[in-house]
Amino acid sequence: MDEVLEVVDVVADSELEGAFVWLLRLVGLLAVLAGLGLWLLTEMGLLVVPLVLIVGGLGLLIVPSVLLSFAELFG
């Protein structure tokens, strides 16, 4: 966990903070759309893969901005 916070602190200190956050949000949005597409447009009997894609994508949409704000507050 310390390594992740160190990486986040380095990104927060650099000038690429906004680009990094928007890149992760874009990947998260693509994961959510892929999960919804697999769930709604295919006849997959096993719903684990779409669920993982949707939950992981939502995590990527929310976590970067929260993590960077914590790094700025406490770092």
Side-chain angles (χ1 to χ4, degrees):
M1 184 68 183
D2 291 334
E3 292 86 11
V4 172
L5 290 176
E6 185 177 322
V7 169
V8 169
D9 191 32
V10 168
V11 171
D13 289 341
S14 72
E15 296 175 1
L16 301 174
E17 177 182 348
F20 182 73
V21 168
W22 280 107
L23 178 69
L24 286 178
R25 285 181 181 167
L26 180 64
V27 169
L29 182 65
L30 288 175
V32 168
L33 291 176
L36 286 173
L38 281 175
W39 181 45
L40 296 174
L41 302 176
T42 63
E43 294 185 18
M44 292 185 68
L46 184 64
L47 293 177
V48 175
V49 175
L51 178 67
V52 169
L53 282 172
I54 292 170
V55 170
L58 287 175
L60 283 175
L61 286 172
I62 297 169
V63 169
S65 58
V66 172
L67 199 57
L68 286 172
S69 65
F70 278 142
E72 289 178 1
L73 272 174
F74 297 115

